[in-house]
Amino acid sequence: MTEAWKEQAETKRISVNHLIPSEWRLRSPVPTTEQQRDVTGSFVHQHISEREIEITETDAVDIVNHTCTGQWSAEEVIKAFCHRASLAHQLTNCLHEIFFDAAIENAKALDQYYARNKAPIGPLHGLPVSLKDQFHVKDVETTMGYVGWIGTFEGKRGTGKEKIFESEMVRELRELGAVLYCKTSVPHTLMSGETVNNIIGYTWNPKNRNLSSGGSSGGEGALIGLKGSPVGFGTDIGGSIRIPAAFNGLYGLRPSSGRLPYYGMANSMDGQNTVLSVVGPLAHSAASLRLVCKSLLSTSPWLHDPLVHEIPWREAEEKRIADVLQTNGGSKLAFGVLHHDGVVIPHPPVRRAVEMVVKALEKQGHKVVKWNPPSHQRGNDILLSTWSYDGGADIHRAFKLSGEPMAPQIAQTYGDKERPQADASKIAATNIAKREYQKEYMEYWNSTTELTGTGRPVDALIAPLAPFPAARPNSYNYYGYSTFVNLLDYSSCVIPVTTVDKTVDLIDKNFEPLSDNDRTVFETYDPEIYDGAHVAVQLVGRRLQEEKVIALAEYIGHAVEG
């Protein structure tokens, strides 16, 4: 059995790669990282046509403006993205499942619908959408990176759901006119900020292939970063939407739990309800995030997912931001800024990105105040305890199905065997600790009214998303900058800011570590290795403030661009 998993993994990997049309396969070996660090932009352009470049470098909003008016056919659009996605996979290992043929047939049907009705089928008519490999799609497997899940439904055989059952959001996306065409790579278990598994290997960052694409929605990050998708959906229980968005220069929304439909998706540790995993989009613009969220909410997902709140898209929340910006010269917003959390100091380029955002906002006349919240270390400890309620039983069970080994990135958390499970009293105590932490943080946020000069608490928080621009392989060892958001269940959006410049982002020779963990993170930074990598920040709002957070992210993105 020990060796059988290798054969299973190889067979699966080859079968997926064979679904790439021969004319889209690279004719020469993929260059080494030393030969070609950045495979975005001009490098990938040499393998596609000018028309394909035009289509694939158009953001989701402008794509639907073309497809919903008949200017572009859905078939031409999906073929262009399928081609670029196939290149992205060959360069970064970002795909788990390919269903290009079904997508093209779906696109043809949409074109026929438009020809008959002179109208789109829905607001996402003809929009290619990629999905993290947690979504169940008819006629397509879901392995979630586990060799033992190949040919099964979530590791079980004979359920009658294999390649038939679809996740709730999949149904809604189809209803809206989206064209689904691929599922993207994840770390087996989902519980890592790097994407690695025994089927596809390691998913690399296309902007700088010394680095990780992030995780656990790392395939989405790499694919969209290489513009093989205009928009895709990932999930986030500790940063798994925001991390790949930040590492790949994208916008990524982590909504509060219950805002978008999660029902019917595969997961690890399903039933752990202290901190819920949420589903959200990654894209090239804040406007694209708005488009897909607003469209999904138009389907009334609360009628089909019992955990979704009955909250339609609230344009009034966006308007409130616009009204403030149009009043008195637009100088009445206030933001908190977290330069570091007192546990780990971010790398120089991350600190520079935070300062760039602060300066851009202050230039526009907005108020920025220092953020001194309740201990993020305490919040991180509470959250991490929820990941081991079952002692790793669910995860170890999945590995035992095939006998495959656990990646080191996972083993550092879950070890080589199950551990004692938490009892009901322990889980209840953790729930109380979470609630008290949320209350304390809430009141701290309220208290900033005294600092802002606007008569309101800060409108949002600007903070690092990770201590590094992107993780080096097997080096993601601190999650505190992302996990506090999950514990608080706040809405958050990543904003791309800049790239690493080795001549500017120098090693701090006077660095004094705050802790052993801080020293470890510091020692991973090398300007030569990181040069050219994307650098981002996260914008954090309060619970269920998705409309506000997207509006502010869009505004800040434009302000930083100048």
Side-chain angles (χ1 to χ4, degrees):
M1 189 175 185
T2 301
E3 292 302 314
W5 72 262
K6 292 182 179 179
E7 183 178 340
Q8 289 178 282
E10 183 179 17
T11 299
K12 177 65 176 180
R13 180 169 57 252
I14 291 171
S15 70
V16 172
N17 291 340
H18 279 176
L19 293 173
I20 297 174
S22 58
E23 63 271 24
W24 291 351
R25 296 175 193 167
L26 294 172
R27 301 300 177 212
S28 55
V30 175
T32 65
T33 302
E34 291 71 24
Q35 293 170 325
Q36 187 67 44
R37 174 180 298 199
D38 181 357
V39 293
T40 66
S42 60
F43 180 84
V44 76
H45 287 173
Q46 66 186 309
H47 300 290
I48 54 179
S49 68
E50 288 295 326
R51 178 61 171 164
E52 288 173 320
I53 293 172
E54 178 189 6
I55 291 171
T56 55
E57 302 202 356
T58 301
D59 86 340
V61 174
D62 286 335
I63 287 173
V64 297
N65 286 341
H66 285 86
T67 55
C68 287
T69 55
Q71 297 176 68
W72 287 356
S73 74
E75 181 181 359
E76 182 183 27
V77 170
I78 194 59
K79 283 182 175 178
F81 277 101
C82 288
H83 187 184
R84 194 151 177 168
S86 72
L87 296 170
H89 179 55
Q90 293 171 82
L91 295 168
T92 66
N93 304 326
C94 62
L95 300 184
H96 275 186
E97 302 291 340
I98 288 171
F99 39 107
F100 296 162
D101 289 346
I104 291 168
E105 290 305 309
N106 180 214
K108 288 178 179 178
L110 289 170
D111 289 335
Q112 292 166 3
Y113 180 95
Y114 191 91
R116 290 193 307 270
N117 298 279
K118 305 303 179 190
I121 201 168
L124 304 184
H125 182 100
L127 178 68
V129 174
S130 51
L131 301 172
K132 184 178 185 178
D133 191 24
Q134 286 179 257
F135 287 86
H136 290 294
V137 177
K138 186 179 179 182
D139 297 325
V140 181
E141 280 196 330
T142 300
T143 67
M144 217 169 74
Y146 287 125
V147 175
W149 280 24
I150 296 170
T152 74
F153 181 81
E154 299 182 6
K156 302 179 182 70
R157 298 184 184 276
T159 66
K161 294 182 177 181
E162 293 87 343
K163 294 189 177 182
I164 294 174
F165 179 81
E166 289 201 318
S167 305
E168 180 58 32
M169 188 183 284
V170 170
R171 182 190 65 79
E172 292 163 357
L173 287 168
R174 293 192 195 280
E175 179 184 317
L176 293 163
V179 182
L180 312 177
Y181 62 113
C182 62
K183 293 205 294 176
T184 53
S185 58
V186 301
H188 49 208
T189 76
L190 309 175
M191 307 305 290
S192 175
E194 301 172 53
T195 292
V196 58
N197 64 61
N198 294 315
I199 300 173
I200 54 90
Y202 197 91
T203 303
W204 296 99
N205 189 313
K207 184 67 173 173
N208 182 330
R209 291 190 297 150
N210 290 308
L211 307 172
S212 170
S213 66
S216 60
S217 311
E220 284 299 317
L223 178 66
I224 302 171
L226 255 170
K227 299 188 176 176
S229 170
V231 62
F233 283 89
T235 62
D236 194 315
I237 196 172
S240 293
I241 291 169
R242 292 163 291 148
I243 291 165
F247 289 9
N248 293 281
L250 307 171
Y251 287 83
L253 177 72
R254 186 265 176 211
S256 293
S257 60
R259 196 69 207 272
L260 294 177
Y262 203 106
Y263 187 83
M265 292 173 62
N267 206 356
S268 284
M269 300 171 292
D270 194 16
Q272 181 283 109
N273 290 339
T274 301
V275 177
L276 291 173
S277 176
V278 300
V279 60
L282 300 85
H284 295 286
S285 66
S288 296
L289 305 182
R290 178 187 296 112
L291 169 69
V292 293
C293 289
K294 184 177 179 179
S295 298
L296 282 165
L297 292 176
S298 74
T299 69
S300 301
W302 46 85
L303 297 178
H304 301 280
D305 184 333
L307 297 186
V308 173
H309 304 297
E310 189 173 348
I311 306 175
W313 185 259
R314 300 164 296 188
E315 293 186 359
E317 296 300 314
E318 294 181 284
K319 187 174 184 298
R320 284 193 181 94
I321 298 300
D323 289 345
V324 170
L325 292 171
Q326 292 167 9
T327 303
N328 297 327
S331 59
K332 291 295 181 179
L333 291 174
F335 298 87
V337 59
L338 181 72
H339 292 284
H340 72 80
D341 63 2
V343 184
V344 170
I345 298 172
H347 285 178
V350 177
R351 301 202 300 268
R352 179 167 63 88
V354 171
E355 281 301 320
M356 287 175 65
V357 173
V358 169
K359 289 178 180 178
L361 291 170
E362 289 179 337
K363 184 178 179 180
Q364 298 297 320
H366 302 300
K367 180 85 171 193
V368 180
V369 301
K370 188 175 180 181
W371 196 247
N372 293 301
S375 166
H376 280 194
Q377 179 67 67
R378 177 157 57 92
N380 190 43
D381 290 344
I382 295 169
L383 179 131
L384 292 179
S385 71
T386 70
W387 293 357
S388 57
Y389 276 167
D390 73 346
D394 177 67
I395 284 168
H396 283 283
R397 188 182 307 117
F399 283 108
K400 288 176 183 176
L401 291 171
S402 66
E404 66 175 313
M406 189 182 292
Q409 291 89 338
I410 309 302
Q412 67 183 7
T413 301
Y414 292 100
D416 59 0
K417 61 182 178 181
E418 294 179 33
R419 298 168 183 169
Q421 298 194 18
D423 60 18
S425 296
K426 169 62 176 174
I427 294 170
T430 302
N431 288 337
I432 292 169
K434 172 199 168 188
R435 185 178 68 215
E436 292 304 311
Y437 187 81
Q438 288 177 310
K439 168 66 172 173
E440 188 178 343
Y441 215 101
M442 176 185 288
E443 294 300 346
Y444 170 73
W445 194 305
N446 293 338
S447 75
T448 61
T449 302
E450 300 172 4
L451 305 174
T452 60
T454 64
R456 307 184 308 274
V458 296
D459 293 290
L461 167 66
I462 299 150
L465 182 278
F468 24 67
R472 293 172 66 175
N474 206 21
S475 296
Y476 207 133
N477 44 31
Y478 183 68
Y479 291 91
Y481 282 105
S482 57
T483 54
F484 82 95
V485 173
N486 298 84
L487 185 68
L488 295 166
D489 198 22
Y490 283 170
S491 309
S492 178
C493 187
V494 163
I495 305 169
V497 177
T498 187
T499 55
V500 178
D501 184 338
K502 65 182 180 181
T503 67
V504 175
D505 301 312
L506 306 176
I507 293 175
D508 184 356
K509 295 181 179 179
N510 298 316
F511 175 80
E512 295 184 6
L514 301 173
S515 62
D516 290 343
N517 204 350
D518 191 24
R519 182 186 298 279
T520 300
V521 171
F522 169 78
E523 290 173 350
T524 65
Y525 182 62
D526 182 330
E528 289 289 342
I529 289 173
Y530 272 92
D531 191 44
H534 289 294
V535 194
V537 302
Q538 67 175 330
L539 182 77
V540 182
R542 304 180 91 161
R543 285 190 69 240
L544 299 167
Q545 290 189 339
E546 289 75 27
E547 295 91 345
K548 179 179 182 179
V549 165
I550 291 175
L552 288 173
E554 186 171 43
Y555 174 76
I556 292 171
H558 291 321
V560 170
E561 291 170 2

